[in-house]
Every structure is written in C-alpha cells, then in structure tokens.
C-alpha cells in the first residue's frame, strides 16, 4: 500500500494540490525477465506491471546484442516507462535552490498517467588502444507534468501537462591505459534535441534543451602515488525567457491616500517559450591526490580540487527582474531589458582526506 500525502498551501491558481490530501491505494506489482541466445545474438526481455484500482502500468523491456566482428558489438533497445503516480517538479530550481516536488496519484481525469517510450541503438568498438562508443536515441512521452514556470502567462494554474520528444547522438572515445603509469583520457560529444508540447499544442524547445555538448577528462599519474585529474565541459546555449514587451501599471492605492508617491510598476510580457537562445556555458575542474601508508596497514589519501577553476559561465541567461529597471528617482532605465546569467559560480576549492584500513 502506498500513502501519498502533501502538506502545502495554495500558492496560486485554483487547481493547486489541496492541502493535506491523502490517497490510500492498494497496489500490485510483478516482474519477469529472460535471456535467450539466438545464434550469435543475445536477446534480453523483461517486463514489469503495476496495478491499482485507478490504473495499470505496463513496462516492457527488450534489448538485442550481437557481435559484428572481433571487438565490435552492436545493440538495439526498447523500453516503455510508466508509473502509477506523478512526480511533478520544477525543472529549474536555481538560483534560489527552492526544490518543489509534488507526488500526485495518477490515473484520473485531473492527473494523467505518465508514459515514455525509449529506443536506442549503439555500437561499441574495443581495441588495445582504447574504446569507441557510438549511440543514438529517441524518446516520446505522454502525460508529463511540471510546475508551471513564471514565463508561461497563458494560464494561472500551478501545473501544466503535455507531451515530450527527444532525440540525440553520442560519440565517446576513451584511451585505455596499459599500465598504472599511463595517462587516461576520455573525449565525448553529444548532439541532442528536447521538445515539449503543452496546452497550446505547439512543439517548442524545452527549458533544458542544449544542442551540442563536449566533455574532456583526463587522469595523469605523476608518480606511483601522485595523480592529477582534470575535466572540462562546454555546452551550447539553452532557450532563454525573452521579453517581448515591457508595460507599466499603477500600483493599488488605498482610497483617500494622496501622500504616497505614485510610482508606476514595470511588468514583462514574455515571448513564447523557446523563441530565443542565450549563450553557451563552460567550466573546468582540476584536482590532485596523493596517498601514503598510515599506521598498521592503513592507507591515507589526501586530495585537493577546484571546481570551476576558470570562473566560467555555468548558468543560462535570463532577463533582470522588472524592479531592477527602476531608478531611485522613480524613473526607469532606457535602452530595453538587460539579460544576465541566472547565477554566478566562483572557483570552489575543496580538500578531502580518506583513510582505508
């Protein structure tokens, strides 16, 4: 039996989850899997079913692998993912780090059952020099929900429901070390698309859609006990909440109040989501560790690392708040709306000590 409860207050809208709601449902679950060899190919099949009085969730799994040549293996996979509840979250909690999670029982007219179909194909090449991984994937989702962002001004309800579709390619090359003194290096590139379709019926780039991503990481042994590691990652721009229009309105005023200054309030009218992009992100991390023998047969490892050592831009762009356009004398800055990074991340040092017995 699952107990789903929420202790929250009404924030906005009329369909926000009611306070102190509780739902008791008896659920049944089952799982089965099989592995079958057919010639050189291997078939992995499985499935899980979850059922309650409101909905039934089928989750089949299928994967086929086949060696194409010495050191070359290909695979294709399919999976259907679903569950009997909705975990509705805010996909962008930064910079306030206000994490919102709402566990809602799915299967009725108000809360749909989430379903996502996943498919992938991959080829792995392995040799004495290292490995190469090539992969492509597709997914299609239905009945997905998220906390309605402030840039969605079409509705005042707290949640929104819609569909998803994603696609991507990935290439990863890794150098295989032959001895403990060899350098380890991994280079990967990802090309991806992520879109959502909400109540307006239009497919738009999702908030976390980033077309290109490159990552490089390496580990260099300087001596038998001393190692240096480094990682760098660059990503193309995410969609930005573009301001289409700035308008002014008079604040509410108590009847008979003639002494308070009459400052006009600034408000934004946002363009459709995904209609513009900001600029990319980049960060690099470095670290080093050294180990030595401790009391008895223990081993002590000292580590030092710096996250974002280059002070690189790690956050997407967003418009400044409307209030920041106001001057002290009650006038407003000319020249349109400014955009800046959602937050800044300085270089963050850390020291670690690990003792193994």
């Amino acid at each position: 039996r699952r107990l789903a409860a929420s202790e929250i207050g009404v924030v906005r809208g009329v369909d926000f989850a009611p306070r102190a709601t509780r739902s008791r449902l008896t659920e049944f679950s089952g799982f089965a899997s099989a592995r079958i060899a057919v010639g050189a190919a291997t078939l992995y099949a499985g499935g899980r079913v979850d059922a309650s009085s409101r909905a039934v969730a089928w989750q089949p799994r299928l994967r086929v692998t086949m060696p194409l040549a010495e050191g070359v293996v290909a695979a294709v996979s399919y999976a259907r993912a679903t569950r009997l509840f909705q975990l509705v979250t805010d996909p962008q909690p930064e910079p306030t780090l206000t994490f919102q999670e709402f566990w809602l029982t799915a299967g009725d007219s108000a809360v749909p059952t989430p379903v996502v179909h996943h498919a992938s194909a991959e080829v792995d090449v392995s040799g004495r020099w290292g490995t190469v991984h090539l992969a492509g994937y597709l997914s299609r989702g239905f009945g997905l929900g998220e906390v309605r962002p402030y840039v969605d001004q079409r509705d005042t309800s707290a949640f929104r429901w819609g569909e998803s579709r994603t696609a991507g390619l990935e290439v990863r090359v890794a150098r295989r070390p032959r001895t403990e003194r060899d350098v380890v290096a991994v280079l990967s590139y990802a090309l991806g698309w992520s879109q959502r379709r909400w109540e307006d019926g239009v497919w738009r780039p999702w908030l976390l859609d980033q077309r290109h991503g490159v990552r490089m990481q390496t580990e260099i042994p300087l001596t038998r006990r001393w190692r240096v590691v480094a990682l760098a990652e660059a990503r193309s721009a995410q969609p930005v909440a573009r301001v289409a229009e700035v308008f002014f309105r008079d604040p509410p005023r108590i009847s008979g109040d003639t002494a308070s200054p009459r400052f006009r309030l600034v408000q934004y009218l946002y363009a459709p989501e995904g209609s513009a992009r900001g600029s990319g992100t980049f960060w690099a991390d470095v670290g080093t560790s050294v180990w030595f023998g401790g009391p008895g047969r223990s081993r002590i490892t000292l580590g030092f690392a710096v996250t974002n050592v280059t002070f690189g831009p790690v956050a997407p762009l967003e418009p400044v708040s409307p209030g920041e356009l106001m001057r002290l004398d009650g006038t407003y800055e000319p020249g349109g709306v400014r955009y800046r990074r959602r937050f800044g991340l300085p270089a963050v040092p850390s020291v670690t000590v690990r003792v193994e017995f």
Side-chain angles (χ1 to χ4, degrees):
R1 299 173 66 86
R2 187 200 309 280
L3 173 62
S6 61
E7 292 287 343
I8 55 179
V10 174
V11 176
R12 58 180 179 179
V14 295
D15 72 339
F16 206 84
R19 182 177 179 82
T21 60
R22 295 180 180 272
S23 174
R24 292 183 179 273
L25 295 175
T26 300
E27 299 177 3
F28 299 92
S29 299
F31 176 80
S33 63
R35 178 179 179 273
I36 304 173
V38 182
T42 303
L43 171 65
Y44 302 86
R48 176 187 173 98
V49 59
D50 298 279
S52 71
S53 58
R54 290 192 178 186
V56 177
W58 295 93
Q59 300 185 76
R61 303 283 192 272
L62 182 66
R63 179 176 174 84
V64 179
T65 63
M66 174 178 289
L68 303 181
E70 183 178 358
V72 181
V73 178
V76 293
S77 304
Y78 166 79
R80 181 182 190 267
T82 184
R83 56 193 178 192
L84 299 179
F85 60 92
Q86 285 273 6
L87 175 56
V88 183
T89 64
D90 183 354
Q92 191 66 70
E94 299 91 352
T96 61
L97 298 182
T98 302
F99 296 92
Q100 303 180 66
E101 291 188 351
F102 303 96
W103 294 70
L104 308 177
T105 301
D108 56 25
S109 58
V111 182
T113 302
V115 177
V116 182
H117 300 271
H118 302 276
S120 66
E122 55 195 278
V123 176
D124 289 288
V125 182
S126 178
R128 295 183 58 189
W129 47 270
T131 61
V132 175
H133 175 77
L134 307 173
Y137 63 87
L138 297 168
S139 75
R140 186 76 164 85
F142 303 89
L144 305 182
E146 70 178 24
V147 175
R148 188 178 300 275
Y150 65 91
V151 298
D152 185 351
Q153 298 172 315
R154 298 185 307 272
D155 198 340
T156 59
S157 58
F159 305 135
R160 62 181 184 179
W161 310 97
E163 305 173 29
S164 71
R165 62 184 184 187
T166 62
L169 300 172
E170 180 184 89
V171 180
R172 184 176 68 248
V173 180
R175 182 182 185 274
R176 174 176 296 170
R178 298 183 181 181
T179 67
E180 293 184 354
R181 301 294 299 273
D182 282 352
V183 174
V184 178
V186 180
L187 173 64
S188 61
Y189 167 75
L191 172 67
W193 293 263
S194 181
Q195 296 181 325
R196 294 292 189 274
R197 180 165 65 182
W198 304 110
E199 294 95 335
D200 62 356
V202 179
W203 285 105
R204 304 185 189 279
W206 192 41
L207 175 67
L208 303 181
D209 176 68
Q210 290 178 288
R211 191 70 65 245
H212 307 280
V214 178
R215 170 182 288 224
M216 297 174 289
Q217 57 190 101
T218 184
E219 179 178 321
I220 304 173
L222 301 180
T223 66
R224 188 174 66 89
R225 302 187 178 194
W226 184 17
R227 293 178 176 270
V228 175
V229 295
L231 179 147
E233 183 166 330
R235 290 184 174 272
S236 58
Q238 294 179 215
V240 64
R242 183 174 64 87
V243 176
E245 182 181 342
V246 179
F247 64 96
F248 302 87
R249 67 177 180 86
D250 293 328
R253 191 169 186 174
I254 300 176
S255 177
D257 179 12
T258 60
S260 300
R262 299 288 291 178
F263 292 148
R264 301 173 70 195
L265 300 179
V266 181
Q267 288 192 326
Y268 289 157
L269 179 65
Y270 291 98
E273 294 177 70
S275 59
R277 290 185 181 268
S279 58
T281 57
F282 173 80
W283 65 91
D285 308 331
V286 296
T288 184
S289 65
V290 60
W291 68 269
F292 52 88
R297 303 183 64 179
S298 64
R299 173 186 287 193
I300 301 175
T301 304
L302 301 179
F304 176 76
V306 180
T307 301
N308 196 30
V309 66
T310 58
F311 288 79
V314 300
L317 293 176
E318 68 177 5
V320 299
S321 64
E324 295 184 57
L325 300 181
M326 184 175 178
R327 294 170 172 168
L328 294 178
D329 61 358
T331 61
Y332 296 90
E333 295 184 3
V337 179
R338 302 191 313 273
Y339 291 79
R340 67 183 178 195
R341 298 285 176 179
R342 180 172 287 122
F343 60 90
L345 179 66
V348 181
S350 60
V351 177
T352 59
V353 179
R354 186 172 73 244
V355 181
E356 300 173 81
F357 297 95

